[in-house]
Amino acid sequence: MNSKATAESLTIKLPDGSTKELGAKSTGLDLAKAISSSLAKKSIAIEVNGDLLDLSTALNDGDEVKIVTVGDKKSYEVLRHTTSHILAAVVQKKYPNAKVGVGPATENGFFYDFRIDDYKITDEDLLEIEKEMKKFASGAYTLQREFIADVDTRLKEFRAIGENYKAELLEEHRDDNPSEYFFLDNNGGKVWSDFCRGPHLPSTKFIKSVKLTTVSGAYWRGDEAKDVMQRVYGTVWWNDEELEQHMKRKEEAEKRDHRRLARTMDLFSIHEEAGAGLIHWHSKLATVRMELEDFWKKEHRKAGYEFVVTPHIAKTELWDISGHNSFYKDNMYSLQVDDQEYILKPMNCPFHVLIFKDKKHSYRELPVRMAEMGTVYRNEASGAVHGLARVRGFTQDDAHIFCTRQQYVEEIQGVYKLVEKIYGILGLEFTVEVSTKPEKAIGDDSLWEFAEAGLKQALNELGATYDINAGDGAFYGPKIDFQLKDAIGRVWQGATIQLDFNLPERFDLTYNTADNETERPVMIHRAIFGSIERICMVLIEHFAGAFPTWLAADQVMLVPVADKHNAAAQKIADELIDNDIRAKVDTRAERMNYKIRDAQEKQIPYMLVIGDQEIENNEVSVRYRRDNKQKTMPVSEFILQIREEIKKRSLDSFLD
């Protein structure tokens, strides 16, 4: 116990390093009031030693406490989770036969699953439910948490009223000190409750800007063999301005949806005859892919990587050694060859390990940087596959670095610089997290301390800003995650750098030291795109299909004014193609303005109009897809300018 504290007092540590003395049994709200009355009014939760908890939670001497207020990053999770319970309360009042499933907060809102056997909720119903939710919230109900002392009795009560989903969850968590939250009216009466661990808002009065968006079908616990539920989605924000901004972003996101643009721009397709989650790359997106791969290879050659190519399948024994059969068996595809089980590779790592192990290594040869565009296969649930974002067959821009402990920090910095360079050229902003040791982990504590310290040292020396994501590392080592931010502010999972203590041990990897002793190399997994499929999805939506010229499948469309100009236009197109510029001629029997609009809608960067005057002067009239202005220039100058734009991988037109 703190020497300053007594049985009647607590010493609480604050984020700025100061302390606050409170009375015994004080709560988070008491702390907020002790700091200032204005802070107390906008406080909605607390972080205690890193855990997000109710504002009413009792504090202990020596706790490190941060007050979470309206608008804080973590306040939205509490707001949305609480609002999901209001949704459930309103739905059960409106539809007495409704049974509740789960109702989590999501990135921008919440959902709740219901089983209603005698009614299907419609879009029109959502408006009425939303109205009732706002009315409920305005009642300023307080939320009270009660721990379930007698789990068996509560299970019987849940089952007696048909709340079998609640009972299933409670049974699952009976040994986790389960709790139930109640909405209390102004007289302290219990209005509605749900089995939940929290945290929640202290009162529903904080909830004002809520909107229900859609209703769809879902399986209980995501299992196709279980009950079909009705899932109601909604979003909630601290004020109407935030809500309006979100709805505008949502509308813009729908316009940018890569699946929608795939249809309008002829980018890719998925066919039921071939199977879900298997991408067919059409010519245009295949061109984008090849440009990305060429770019990736050039940058990796400069950074000292060697390229390898590995098999698509391997005997199951390899995956026993690597540990994948123990951890990922359900996600792997297998096939029988000559009475021997083979696995379609879910990862490239074991193959790179085998290449490293194929010969003895001296410390003088390290680091070994091994890279591959390796196609892998994972058995994702059919309900989880989603366009290019979640697929069953995909190509990772995979690389593994084998180095000494002394080289470890420098190698991490090299990867970071490469990530920074590649994302910079693509015009993608990013933030960084360091994920530390999880509860279930392998390897000695000293290894984890070495690895985590090295990651932080590498980032600190580079002057990089990062957050700590405590306990979210892989079981085999800590990692650095890069979160990408696109043009409309959405965040996507990007590059990752992972340390691995597992595979070097399992495969008995060694190298000879300067003293002719053997040591295990440090193994670093890293991917910058993550996968070609995922980065293409991000770029399609980031650029809304309007790829920069160097990536665009069709870079130039030549538009003859009349049929008599077709031959001259084709001659110019041939000259452009000879200069490695992707060009086509639109010879359709359509009006010139229609052809220009069509090229703009297809997001072709440049249109060259060819008429009598242009042919006579050996010129072209140049239009850019986002500008109706026209600029006339010699063909040779256009070629010079666009080649320079492509060479620089510029995000902007040379006409700007």
Side-chain angles (χ1 to χ4, degrees):
M1 185 174 179
N2 190 296
S3 58
K4 294 182 179 179
T6 68
E8 290 77 33
S9 68
L10 305 173
T11 300
I12 303 300
K13 300 175 185 176
L14 302 178
D16 63 1
S18 64
T19 60
K20 198 75 178 177
E21 297 293 322
L22 299 174
K25 299 182 180 180
S26 291
T27 65
L29 179 60
D30 294 326
L31 173 61
K33 289 177 178 177
I35 295 172
S36 75
S37 57
S38 60
L39 176 64
K41 288 179 182 178
K42 58 183 181 181
S43 299
I44 56 97
I46 50 174
E47 267 191 89
V48 181
N49 306 321
D51 293 328
L52 192 61
L53 301 172
D54 292 314
L55 192 62
S56 60
T57 301
L59 303 176
N60 296 310
D61 182 48
D63 280 344
E64 296 183 13
V65 182
K66 178 183 178 182
I67 304 293
V68 179
T69 60
V70 170
D72 287 351
K73 183 178 179 180
K74 291 195 174 181
S75 71
Y76 292 92
E77 178 184 344
V78 182
L79 170 67
R80 288 162 185 160
H81 189 61
T82 308
T83 307
S84 76
H85 286 298
I86 293 179
L87 167 61
V90 168
V91 167
Q92 287 203 304
K93 181 179 180 182
K94 186 174 178 65
Y95 309 105
N97 291 331
K99 307 305 177 188
V100 297
V102 293
T106 62
E107 183 180 355
N108 289 307
F110 57 91
F111 69 79
Y112 221 111
D113 289 344
F114 303 96
R115 177 70 183 267
I116 312 176
D117 291 329
D118 58 355
Y119 191 79
K120 185 175 181 180
I121 297 173
T122 66
D123 290 340
E124 290 74 20
D125 292 325
L126 295 184
L127 296 173
E128 184 62 30
I129 295 170
E130 179 186 308
K131 181 180 177 181
E132 289 301 315
M133 287 176 66
K134 291 176 180 177
K135 182 178 178 181
F136 187 102
S138 67
Y141 294 95
T142 57
L143 284 96
Q144 178 175 293
R145 184 182 194 183
E146 294 183 8
F147 288 95
I148 301 173
D150 188 343
V151 172
D152 289 325
T153 297
R154 198 68 182 110
L155 282 170
K156 289 179 182 178
E157 291 169 348
F158 280 155
R159 289 168 180 149
I161 58 175
E163 291 287 9
N164 295 325
Y165 306 113
K166 282 188 182 183
E168 181 179 326
L169 293 169
L170 178 55
E171 181 67 57
E172 196 174 293
H173 295 280
R174 66 182 303 138
D175 297 326
D176 301 328
N177 197 21
S179 62
E180 191 170 2
Y181 277 82
F182 294 84
F183 286 120
L184 305 182
D185 62 22
N186 293 331
N187 298 317
K190 294 178 177 178
V191 176
W192 185 87
S193 72
D194 199 2
F195 162 62
C196 189
R197 67 179 183 181
H200 296 98
L201 298 173
S203 168
T204 63
K205 69 180 181 181
F206 289 94
I207 301 169
K208 296 180 175 66
S209 303
V210 60
K211 183 174 183 61
L212 297 185
T213 53
T214 56
V215 58
S216 67
Y219 293 106
W220 172 238
R221 311 298 289 270
D223 188 337
E224 296 177 15
K226 295 185 178 179
D227 292 348
V228 177
M229 314 288 283
Q230 297 184 57
R231 178 170 292 178
V232 178
Y233 289 92
T235 187
V236 62
W237 300 81
W238 286 115
N239 54 61
D240 289 345
E241 183 180 354
E242 284 187 343
L243 175 60
E244 183 180 355
Q245 289 173 351
H246 167 73
M247 296 308 294
K248 287 180 179 178
R249 286 195 301 270
K250 186 173 182 290
E251 182 181 352
E252 180 63 26
E254 289 170 357
K255 293 178 184 177
R256 292 170 178 259
D257 189 309
H258 71 287
R259 296 165 301 173
R260 173 181 173 274
L261 291 173
R263 293 189 295 272
T264 60
M265 296 180 66
D266 191 24
L267 299 178
F268 70 89
S269 58
I270 301 168
H271 300 273
E272 189 60 37
E273 307 95 295
L278 300 174
I279 304 301
H280 295 67
W281 297 74
H282 295 197
S283 174
K284 289 187 173 72
L285 193 60
T287 300
V288 173
R289 173 180 179 147
M290 287 186 287
E291 288 292 334
L292 285 169
E293 288 180 348
D294 288 346
F295 165 50
W296 182 89
K297 289 173 184 175
K298 287 176 183 177
E299 294 303 326
H300 280 72
R301 283 194 191 97
K302 293 178 195 175
Y305 286 79
E306 299 173 345
F307 299 111
V308 298
V309 179
T310 60
H312 286 241
I313 64 173
K315 292 192 296 186
T316 193
E317 284 82 1
L318 177 67
W319 309 103
D320 286 333
I321 299 170
S322 69
H324 287 90
N325 277 339
S326 298
F327 290 98
Y328 301 106
K329 187 72 173 177
D330 291 342
N331 295 101
M332 300 194 297
Y333 293 103
S334 65
L335 61 156
Q336 293 295 124
V337 181
D338 296 331
D339 296 324
Q340 168 71 56
E341 185 182 20
Y342 279 74
I343 302 293
L344 279 170
K345 64 175 177 179
M347 297 180 186
N348 302 297
C349 332
F351 296 94
H352 293 190
V353 168
L354 290 179
I355 292 174
F356 180 86
K357 192 178 181 180
D358 193 53
K359 68 173 186 176
K360 292 183 178 180
H361 293 274
S362 162
Y363 71 96
R364 296 179 185 274
E365 301 170 50
L366 272 54
V368 172
R369 306 184 189 102
M370 207 177 295
E372 177 182 18
M373 281 285 178
T375 300
V376 299
Y377 305 90
R378 298 182 187 174
N379 186 17
E380 301 284 356
S382 59
V385 294
H386 175 86
L388 293 171
R390 196 77 175 265
V391 294
R392 288 176 170 171
F394 56 96
T395 301
Q396 289 184 310
D397 64 315
D398 221 349
H400 296 91
I401 300 171
F402 303 89
C403 64
T404 69
R405 287 194 172 206
Q406 292 73 29
Q407 296 166 332
Y408 162 53
V409 170
E410 186 177 354
E411 288 305 304
I412 296 297
Q413 291 175 337
V415 176
Y416 182 94
K417 291 174 183 176
L418 190 56
V419 171
E420 190 173 43
K421 181 178 184 181
I422 289 175
Y423 285 164
I425 289 170
L426 293 173
L428 295 170
E429 299 178 12
F430 63 84
T431 57
V432 180
E433 288 182 343
V434 174
S435 297
T436 58
K437 184 179 180 180
E439 285 187 23
K440 295 181 179 179
I442 64 167
D444 296 334
D445 287 343
S446 60
L447 279 175
W448 281 89
E449 290 167 6
F450 158 76
E452 291 178 3
L455 292 181
K456 294 172 186 175
Q457 179 186 342
L459 294 172
N460 289 335
E461 289 179 358
L462 289 170
T465 301
Y466 61 91
D467 293 323
I468 299 294
N469 190 2
D472 201 43
F475 73 92
Y476 51 77
K479 60 179 180 172
I480 298 174
D481 286 320
F482 295 77
Q483 308 293 332
L484 299 177
K485 185 178 180 181
D486 72 10
I488 58 173
R490 295 173 301 176
V491 176
W492 308 94
Q493 176 61 48
T496 185
I497 308 171
Q498 297 183 348
L499 270 292
D500 190 348
F501 312 134
N502 182 46
L503 291 184
E505 186 71 31
R506 281 180 172 270
F507 283 90
D508 192 26
L509 299 188
T510 61
Y511 69 91
N512 290 331
T513 68
D515 299 326
N516 208 28
E517 300 289 334
T518 57
E519 269 192 27
R520 295 235 184 278
V522 174
M523 184 177 180
I524 302 170
H525 301 251
R526 44 114 300 189
I528 296 176
F529 293 155
S531 75
I532 287 292
E533 286 75 9
R534 187 166 184 80
I535 196 66
C536 282
M537 180 272 291
V538 171
L539 292 175
I540 291 167
E541 300 203 1
H542 176 65
F543 292 117
F547 294 107
T549 303
W550 71 275
L551 273 179
D554 296 322
Q555 295 168 325
V556 179
M557 180 62 73
L558 289 98
V559 181
V561 173
D563 288 349
K564 66 179 181 177
H565 305 119
N566 286 353
Q570 187 60 58
K571 183 179 178 182
I572 295 171
D574 292 341
E575 187 176 357
L576 294 173
I577 293 168
D578 286 342
N579 280 275
D580 296 323
I581 300 162
R582 295 186 286 275
K584 291 181 179 177
V585 181
D586 189 342
T587 59
R588 293 177 298 171
E590 301 285 354
R591 296 180 63 181
M592 180 188 72
N593 287 338
Y594 174 86
K595 294 178 181 181
I596 290 172
R597 284 196 305 273
D598 186 58
Q600 288 174 326
E601 288 174 2
K602 290 177 179 175
Q603 303 296 354
I604 298 172
Y606 292 99
M607 289 131 274
L608 304 185
V609 177
I610 313 297
D612 291 338
Q613 185 174 338
E614 286 80 12
I615 294 172
E616 181 180 345
N617 297 323
N618 194 28
E619 294 179 333
V620 287
S621 292
V622 185
R623 289 174 181 253
Y624 187 60
R625 63 187 163 204
R626 291 175 180 158
D627 195 342
N628 289 324
K629 294 178 182 177
Q630 196 164 289
K631 184 176 182 180
T632 302
M633 64 179 66
V635 174
S636 58
E637 182 183 344
F638 175 77
I639 291 174
L640 185 68
Q641 295 274 27
I642 193 173
R643 276 175 60 89
E644 186 65 17
E645 180 182 328
I646 293 168
K647 180 182 177 182
K648 290 181 177 178
R649 297 193 176 91
S650 175
L651 297 173
D652 302 310
S653 166
F654 71 82
L655 292 175
D656 291 343

